[in-house]
């Protein structure tokens, strides 16, 4: 599954520490086979958008390969844990500052680890769905032009869980006052006091705009059933599906505009109208990946992703 990512050694260990010196993330960098999806070694957590896949395919052709590592989460690193422990006893080969004031360290593992590569249980693809899908399609169409492996970081999710947050929606052109009235026809709407913390509880959404925030909850079962009819049954309780197939279409149709949300991991700005989503649970993410249904595109933001200063050496 993993072999010779950067040319100087077969595997690398990556460690990320925060500003206080505490370990945020540890894992192994290697080269991920594009066959991992078919063999069941790689579980995809979300579906992909065709436009994003086309963008990544164009970048792949321009670069001759993906530079940024995919991010994978392993519930257990098995024998690779011994590889990490042995490798990190010595000084790091490279250090980079992280945006939050911490440090990311990189060690080259001993070449002996390639003689009998440790096996891994199925891993969750946390970040890089569109890069992986673009590479798979290009390799099928032009096997000689694109490599059959991609650089990937497999992190120890059991010891150092990835951060999990929602991806929110910004709705250009939407009038906030009309949107609040339209939302009240299919959900319970209540105004939040100014300055209130903007983190929605499970099952609720926050509609923001004009410096105000409203909570949306108890969405009409009739509206849900009618608009979620075309999505997989596993999605009907997922925030991103309810947002994109129920709430946003209802608000935009009321104003006669085409839904064209912009996706962001940050909350919408004070001059924007947007919808703040609650994050799904890890149980929902793993269940969707295991079943093959995945989750709607732009459901979550998982991290942290590796820091690359000047690009990864290939």
């Amino acid at each position: 599954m993993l072999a010779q990512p950067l040319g100087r050694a077969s595997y690398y260990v990556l460690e990320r520490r925060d500003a206080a010196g505490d370990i945020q993330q540890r894992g192994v960098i290697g080269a991920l086979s594009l066959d991992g999806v078919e063999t069941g070694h790689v579980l995809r957590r979300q579906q992909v958008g065709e436009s994003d896949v086309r963008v990544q395919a164009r970048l792949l052709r321009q670069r001759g390969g993906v530079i940024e590592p995919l991010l994978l989460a392993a519930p257990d690193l098995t024998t690779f844990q011994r590889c990490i422990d042995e490798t990190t006893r010595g000084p790091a080969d490279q250090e980079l500052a992280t945006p939050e004031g911490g440090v990311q360290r990189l060690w080259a593992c001993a070449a002996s680890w390639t003689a009998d590569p440790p096996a891994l249980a199925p891993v969750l693809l946390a970040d890089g769905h569109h890069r992986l899908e673009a590479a798979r399609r290009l390799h099928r169409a032009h096997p000689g032009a694109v490599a059959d492996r991609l650089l990937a970081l497999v992190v120890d999710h059991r010891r150092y869980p990835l951060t999990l947050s929602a991806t929110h929606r910004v709705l250009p052109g939407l009038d906030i006052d009309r949107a609040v009235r339209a939302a009240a026809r299919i959900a319970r709407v209540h105004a939040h006091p100014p300055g209130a913390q903007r983190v929605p509880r499970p099952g609720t959404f926050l509609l923001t705009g004009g410096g105000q925030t409203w909570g949306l909850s108890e969405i009409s079962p009739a509206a849900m059933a009618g608009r979620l009819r075309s999505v997989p049954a596993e999605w009907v309780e997922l925030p991103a599906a309810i947002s994109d197939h129920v709430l946003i279409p209802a608000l935009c149709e009321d104003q006669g505009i085409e839904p064209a949300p912009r996706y962001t991991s940050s909350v919408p700005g004070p001059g924007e109208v947007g919808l703040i989503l609650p994050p799904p649970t890890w149980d929902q993410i793993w269940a969707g990946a295991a079943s093959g249904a995945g989750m709607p595109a732009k459901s979550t933001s998982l991290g942290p992703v590796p820091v690359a200063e000047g690009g990864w050496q290939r």
Side-chain angles (χ1 to χ4, degrees):
M1 188 173 169
L2 302 172
Q4 294 194 341
L6 306 181
R8 187 159 60 91
S10 297
Y11 300 108
Y12 284 72
V13 171
L14 182 142
E15 176 188 87
R16 187 170 179 143
R17 291 178 180 259
D18 61 20
D22 296 326
I23 297 176
Q24 286 182 303
Q25 190 176 77
R26 262 187 174 178
V28 177
I29 292 178
L32 176 72
S33 169
L34 298 182
D35 295 331
V37 173
E38 283 76 18
T39 61
H41 286 98
V42 177
L43 306 177
R44 294 178 289 187
R45 67 176 177 86
Q46 70 175 40
Q47 295 191 349
V48 296
E50 288 300 318
S51 61
D52 290 329
V53 172
R54 288 194 293 270
V55 169
Q56 292 299 326
R58 184 172 67 251
L59 292 174
L60 263 173
R61 288 192 292 265
Q62 291 173 351
R63 296 174 174 178
V66 173
I67 295 175
E68 299 82 4
L70 305 178
L71 180 62
L72 304 165
D76 188 347
L77 286 179
T78 61
T79 310
F80 267 117
Q81 187 57 53
R82 186 161 60 87
C83 172
I84 291 174
D85 294 340
E86 292 179 2
T87 302
T88 55
R89 286 175 188 153
D93 296 296
Q94 183 187 59
E95 290 193 1
L96 289 175
T98 62
E100 65 274 12
V103 63
Q104 176 181 277
R105 296 184 175 127
L106 192 70
W107 290 262
C109 302
S112 58
W113 282 99
T114 62
D116 185 20
L120 280 175
V123 292
L124 179 75
L125 179 57
D127 182 74
H129 287 74
H130 297 95
R131 280 173 277 161
L132 176 59
E133 184 59 24
R136 294 174 69 238
R137 294 183 188 184
L138 285 175
H139 185 68
R140 287 197 299 265
H142 309 286
V146 180
D148 63 351
R149 295 173 183 270
L150 291 178
L151 199 65
L153 167 65
V154 183
V155 299
D156 186 342
H157 182 66
R158 179 173 60 87
R159 296 189 182 192
Y160 310 106
L162 293 172
T163 58
L164 170 59
S165 57
T167 299
H168 310 299
R169 277 64 171 151
V170 174
L171 306 170
L174 202 67
D175 180 85
I176 186 60
D177 294 324
R178 291 181 61 182
V180 171
R181 292 194 294 270
R185 291 195 284 271
I186 63 169
R188 180 174 176 266
V189 177
H190 58 281
H192 282 213
Q197 188 178 15
R198 297 198 293 178
V199 179
R201 300 187 309 274
T204 68
F205 299 80
L206 298 180
L207 180 62
T208 68
Q212 295 179 275
T213 302
W214 293 264
L216 310 183
S217 60
E218 300 177 23
I219 301 169
S220 162
M224 296 268 284
R227 294 181 180 272
L228 293 175
R229 198 174 296 163
S230 61
V231 307
E234 294 89 346
W235 289 11
V236 296
E237 294 183 359
L238 297 179
I242 297 170
S243 163
D244 294 355
H245 294 275
V246 181
L247 293 175
I248 292 177
L251 302 185
C252 290
E253 288 168 10
D254 179 71
Q255 299 185 29
I257 62 177
E258 190 71 22
R262 177 172 63 82
Y263 304 99
T264 174
S265 57
S266 304
V267 297
E272 298 174 318
V273 174
L275 198 64
I276 300 176
L277 280 61
T281 66
W282 277 113
D283 285 345
Q284 289 173 325
I285 290 174
W286 283 100
S291 71
M295 306 184 79
K298 308 299 184 182
S299 290
T300 60
S301 177
L302 302 182
V305 298
V307 177
E309 185 175 55
W312 291 81
Q313 301 299 314
R314 287 185 292 161

